[in-house]
């Protein structure tokens, strides 16, 4: 799921329509904390999360919430991230 810059109202819509878990989440708003982030993360329950951020704008609460779900987190500030899929599984390399 590529959440991009979805605002809280759109994330709420997604949570109401979503069933099941997502393998990959591109975290919305460069990892900045929003009021419903934790509920959103619990709903989509990603195996992997990618946060496009610099040192200045990633909220530790966002990282902690994803870690509590067992999500593997990749930060673009730590280098390029490549995601590939064979149609059945994905591989994430940084």
């Amino acid at each position: 799921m590529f959440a991009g810059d979805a605002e809280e109202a759109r994330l709420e819509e997604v949570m109401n329509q979503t069933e099941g878990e997502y393998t990959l989440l591109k975290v919305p708003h460069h990892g900045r904390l929003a009021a419903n982030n934790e509920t959103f993360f619990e709903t989509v329950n990603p195996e992997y999360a990618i946060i496009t951020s610099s040192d200045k704008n990633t909220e530790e609460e966002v990282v902690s919430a994803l870690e509590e779900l067992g999500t593997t987190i990749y930060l673009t500030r730590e280098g390029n991230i490549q995601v590939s899929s064979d149609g059945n599984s994905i591989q994430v390399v940084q």
Side-chain angles (χ1 to χ4, degrees):
M1 173 182 288
F2 291 87
D5 289 329
E7 298 294 335
E8 289 183 40
R10 180 62 183 131
L11 294 178
E12 190 73 36
E13 289 175 14
V14 170
M15 287 187 286
N16 290 332
Q17 298 170 0
T18 298
E19 292 184 24
E21 300 174 354
Y22 286 77
T23 305
L24 178 73
L25 171 66
K26 193 301 199 163
V27 177
H29 294 284
H30 307 282
R32 292 186 195 105
L33 188 63
N36 62 354
N37 272 15
E38 287 186 38
T39 304
F40 176 70
F41 297 151
E42 290 170 2
T43 301
V44 299
N45 195 18
E47 184 176 346
Y48 304 100
I50 296 174
I51 301 175
T52 56
S53 68
S54 67
D55 289 335
K56 297 177 184 175
N57 64 4
T58 301
E59 299 275 355
E60 287 303 316
E61 293 90 346
V62 169
V63 172
S64 294
L66 288 164
E67 286 177 338
E68 286 181 24
L69 294 172
T71 302
T72 302
I73 303 164
Y74 294 91
L75 303 168
T76 58
R77 69 174 178 242
E78 295 175 356
N80 293 331
I81 300 165
Q82 180 179 359
V83 179
S84 58
S85 175
D86 63 5
N88 294 312
S89 62
I90 69 167
Q91 296 76 41
V92 183
V93 178
Q94 184 166 39

